[in-house]
Amino acid sequence: MNKFLSYKLVLAAALFCASCNSFLDVLPRGVANEEDLQNAVGAEKLAVAAYATLGNDHWHEPYTSMWPYGNVRSGDAYKGGLGAADQGEYHQYEIFSTVRADMDKGNRIWTRLYIGVQRANAAIKVLNVLDEASFKDKTRRLAEMRFLRAHYHFLLKILFKKIAYVTDGLEADDIEKLSNDELSDNDLWQKIADDFRFAADNLPAPRTDAGRPNQTVAKAYLAKTRLYQAYMQDNQNSVTSVNQEYMNEVISLTTEVINSGEFSLFDDIGKNFLWNYDNGSESVFAVQRSKDDGTPIGRIDMSTALNYPMYPGYGCCSFHRPTQNLVNSFRTSDKGLPLFNDFNTVSMKDSVDFIKNTIDPRLDHSVGIPSHPYKYQQNVIYRAATFTREPGTYGPYSAMKEVQQLGCPCLTTAQTYAYPASSKNSSIIRFSDVILWKAEALIEVGRIDEALPLINQIRARAKNSTNLLKNANGKFMSNYSMDVYKPGENIVWNKANATTALRWERRLEFALEGIRFFDLVRWGIAAETMNNYFVTEKTRVPHLSAANFTKGRDEYLPVPEQQIQRSNSIYKQNNGWN
């Protein structure tokens, strides 16, 4: 079978039946003749199909939530579930040392994301033959499809590095001959950036539909792409330099997004993780979810359906479990600042530990902790025995950001399984991300004083995000104490310390949101961070005994062997996997 699903395959099947009896000359539901699509109505249908792929993932190959790749591989989360064999390939991702190029899950996510690419290209091809008179939204839809095409390629790029960039100008035979190794790393990033630039230049400024990108959203995603592109990598995945031109473009683009007035931080970080605040002021781009919408199971979030606790009303399956290392990282000093060097010397486990130590409030927005109310529900007290599977293997904690409150109208049971899922939107870009991108770029170009208020803006919001974090008696769950950075008073604000502060802030702000590992890779510190993590964490949990990160290999997943075979070995493997 070809690497990419194609409408040509559907059309071939239809043409094959041309000589069949007339009662067979009826196309199956969901299948269209090619000529039926060469018009404005067909273009809209193809565009809808491209959008649909945004949320068509599953716990077997999640990509709206990148929890197996961005958290389990980062030291922020254990796989969880019922032991190492339960969704066992995620265990292999967690320990790195046993990952293989022919693993099913890698091939699944590769295929799913290229289906998204193909759908965007199918829509672009039809749009290109229409004129503005027959379809007044032609330019806008073209820009939306190129935005989606770039999004799918972006995810493939940060997962696999060596990918083929597939455009609408390629025919099926061209795609079969396309190499994943012809473009340099920088040139591949440039292809992605070009699509986002086209979107930014051609999308309307007003935002009339929360599910569609507008000009500002495209600029935000372009800024993200330039930020990743700026950390220049060699073939061994080492960062060799930081491109100042790209960093300055990040500063320019994020400034435009921030100054647009379209977005603002919620007053409480917890609102980002509650269904009733979907499409609020902090949501830059999110996959739109729904239930009871006339489809068999709705557009619910199947990517995180394994991650709910075992507590009655949720039911399954206790995956995506916060590490002790992550929990400890929220400890603060007597000045209310992160303990950059000493955070992991004390393990907070018992209820009293969260009172004896001072805590960044974002911990209780991210992690289910024994004796604390779970997900802001004062009548639902978290107990490891009733919320988790195998606490002896995976510790006592549960992830919480993706989980919704009991009784939420958004909750449902997924498919025929007793697995909960929700219609809570899946966040792709939050406004706090944009703010910290700008801070990071400012630090990298030496404008560290300008980065300080941006980082402090995120910290000030976190400091004040305590209203939801109370027990039934009105007292706070933990001993919250944090402060902003005050040069000359609680920190020396030089480039080294600013870089450390920025990177630490990203870990705490986006804990368990599927981002951490990709940050480590683009900064060029994945190997040292992960192997340092394993030294201590192996003494805490038995399932990491064989864990080891190989520098120059494990920064990326291997190109699926199934895809290399289908390409007749035109595709080349990533460094270290041969």
Side-chain angles (χ1 to χ4, degrees):
M1 185 176 179
N2 290 343
K3 296 190 290 293
F4 312 105
L5 298 183
S6 170
Y7 281 98
K8 291 191 174 183
L9 297 179
V10 176
L11 293 170
L15 292 171
F16 178 77
C17 288
S19 60
C20 299
N21 292 334
S22 60
F23 73 91
L24 294 178
D25 292 340
V26 178
L27 289 173
R29 290 183 64 186
V31 177
N33 285 314
E34 188 169 14
E35 57 268 24
D36 293 337
L37 301 174
Q38 305 299 312
N39 51 55
V41 173
E44 284 284 44
K45 289 179 178 179
L46 291 170
V48 169
Y51 271 110
T53 303
L54 281 174
N56 273 357
D57 55 341
H58 191 272
W59 66 70
H60 290 301
E61 62 284 316
Y63 53 80
T64 47
S65 170
M66 298 281 271
W67 66 270
Y69 328 107
N71 297 337
V72 171
R73 291 197 300 159
S74 76
D76 277 5
Y78 310 130
K79 172 187 73 71
L82 193 61
D86 192 1
Q87 298 293 320
E89 289 189 2
Y90 291 152
H91 171 73
Q92 293 178 267
Y93 287 154
E94 182 176 359
I95 66 172
F96 294 96
S97 58
T98 60
V99 173
R100 304 185 318 274
D102 64 349
M103 285 167 56
D104 180 61
K105 290 190 183 298
N107 188 49
R108 279 174 174 264
I109 192 170
W110 176 285
T111 302
R112 287 262 191 171
L113 289 170
Y114 270 117
I115 289 172
V117 171
Q118 183 278 329
R119 288 184 174 187
N121 281 332
I124 291 170
K125 285 182 179 180
V126 172
L127 287 163
N128 278 336
V129 301
L130 301 177
D131 55 37
E132 298 283 353
S134 61
F135 186 38
K136 64 181 179 62
D137 289 329
K138 172 184 175 177
T139 301
R140 176 176 180 171
R141 289 294 180 270
L142 277 171
E144 290 174 6
M145 293 304 100
R146 289 190 64 173
F147 178 97
L148 294 182
R149 182 171 73 185
H151 167 67
Y152 299 130
H153 278 118
F154 183 96
L155 297 182
L156 284 159
K157 180 75 175 70
I158 63 175
L159 287 165
F160 295 102
K161 189 172 186 175
K162 286 187 179 181
I163 63 168
Y165 203 85
V166 185
T167 64
D168 55 287
L170 298 172
E171 298 299 329
D173 289 345
D174 300 321
I175 294 173
E176 289 298 315
K177 300 173 185 176
L178 196 62
S179 170
N180 72 330
D181 195 37
E182 181 177 354
L183 297 173
S184 69
D185 193 62
N186 187 63
D187 288 343
L188 189 50
W189 278 122
Q190 188 59 47
K191 291 283 189 182
I192 298 171
D194 287 344
D195 270 349
F196 282 130
R197 172 57 69 187
F198 180 89
D201 289 344
N202 290 278
L203 285 170
R207 193 170 191 181
T208 57
D209 186 336
R212 298 181 189 272
N214 71 341
Q215 182 182 101
T216 312
V217 173
K219 288 178 180 178
Y221 218 144
L222 177 58
K224 183 177 184 179
T225 301
R226 288 299 195 209
L227 187 66
Y228 275 73
Q229 185 180 13
Y231 293 93
M232 310 293 284
Q233 288 188 4
D234 61 18
N235 290 333
Q236 289 74 46
N237 308 331
S238 294
V239 175
T240 57
S241 63
V242 178
N243 186 296
Q244 300 293 290
E245 179 182 351
Y246 295 149
M247 284 297 183
N248 280 311
E249 188 174 354
V250 173
I251 295 168
S252 177
L253 288 163
T254 52
T255 299
E256 290 184 58
V257 175
I258 292 168
N259 291 345
S260 72
E262 295 180 44
F263 308 104
S264 61
L265 297 178
F266 284 130
D267 60 341
D268 191 307
I269 189 176
K271 292 180 178 179
N272 287 286
F273 318 117
L274 290 170
W275 165 81
N276 42 310
Y277 292 98
D278 271 354
N279 297 321
S281 65
E282 196 165 338
S283 178
V284 177
F285 186 60
V287 176
Q288 303 296 299
R289 300 291 186 180
S290 62
K291 60 172 283 201
D292 301 327
D293 56 7
T295 60
I297 64 169
R299 298 290 297 165
I300 57 175
D301 181 9
M302 295 294 290
S303 72
T304 61
L306 294 179
N307 300 352
Y308 282 73
M310 308 303 292
Y311 186 80
Y314 291 130
C316 202
C317 285
S318 194
F319 279 74
H320 193 208
R321 304 274 291 281
T323 66
Q324 188 64 56
N325 183 288
L326 176 67
V327 170
N328 294 344
S329 72
F330 287 91
R331 289 175 58 226
T332 59
S333 71
D334 57 2
K335 296 181 179 180
L337 302 184
L339 294 163
F340 300 132
N341 299 315
D342 301 327
F343 77 97
N344 207 28
T345 58
V346 173
S347 287
M348 299 185 294
K349 294 182 178 180
D350 300 325
S351 300
V352 67
D353 293 333
F354 300 93
I355 303 300
K356 290 193 306 184
N357 293 279
T358 51
I359 309 295
D360 183 318
R362 287 174 290 193
L363 172 62
D364 280 306
H365 289 285
S366 307
V367 178
I369 296 171
S371 80
H372 292 199
Y374 185 73
K375 195 66 180 186
Y376 322 126
Q377 301 168 101
Q378 293 178 344
N379 62 331
V380 180
I381 304 303
Y382 185 89
R383 309 288 182 196
T386 54
F387 276 75
T388 70
R389 292 161 119 181
E390 297 207 14
T393 300
Y394 296 117
Y397 311 112
S398 291
M400 200 161 58
K401 284 182 174 178
E402 64 262 49
V403 176
Q404 295 305 294
Q405 294 176 324
L406 291 168
C408 178
C410 62
L411 281 175
T412 186
T413 300
Q415 295 180 331
T416 58
Y417 305 96
Y419 300 161
S422 85
S423 58
K424 170 78 174 68
N425 286 351
S426 300
S427 177
I428 305 300
I429 299 175
R430 290 204 279 121
F431 188 54
S432 58
D433 217 352
V434 177
I435 292 170
L436 290 178
W437 294 338
K438 182 175 180 179
E440 181 175 341
L442 285 166
I443 292 168
E444 289 298 332
V445 301
R447 295 161 60 181
I448 62 172
D449 289 343
E450 295 174 68
L452 177 63
L454 297 170
I455 297 172
N456 278 344
Q457 183 180 2
I458 303 301
R459 290 190 62 77
R461 192 269 294 271
K463 178 181 179 179
N464 294 322
S465 295
T466 58
N467 287 337
L468 297 171
L469 307 180
K470 294 180 180 179
N471 297 303
N473 62 8
K475 294 183 178 180
F476 291 124
M477 300 179 197
S478 301
N479 181 15
Y480 305 122
S481 177
M482 67 177 297
D483 202 355
V484 297
Y485 294 106
K486 301 172 183 176
E489 182 176 333
N490 60 16
I491 192 170
V492 175
W493 195 250
N494 53 32
K495 185 171 183 180
N497 287 345
T499 299
T500 299
L502 178 283
R503 293 178 178 182
W504 203 267
E505 203 63 29
R506 288 193 60 80
R507 185 183 193 188
L508 302 183
E509 178 71 11
F510 303 110
L512 303 173
E513 294 184 49
I515 293 175
R516 172 71 170 166
F517 183 77
F518 306 111
D519 279 350
L520 297 178
V521 171
R522 66 186 173 85
W523 293 330
I525 61 172
E528 62 191 78
T529 301
M530 292 309 301
N531 284 323
N532 287 339
Y533 158 78
F534 287 138
V535 168
T536 302
E537 211 71 7
K538 283 181 180 182
T539 68
R540 294 170 172 160
V541 288
H543 73 281
L544 294 180
S545 59
N548 181 69
F549 188 103
T550 299
K551 183 176 176 59
R553 182 193 72 179
D554 289 327
E555 290 84 1
Y556 296 93
L557 298 179
V559 176
E561 181 61 32
Q562 299 91 323
Q563 300 299 325
I564 292 176
Q565 292 177 5
R566 288 173 181 173
S567 75
N568 293 318
S569 297
I570 293 175
Y571 279 3
K572 303 304 178 186
Q573 188 53 269
N574 281 324
N575 185 70
W577 289 104
N578 291 321

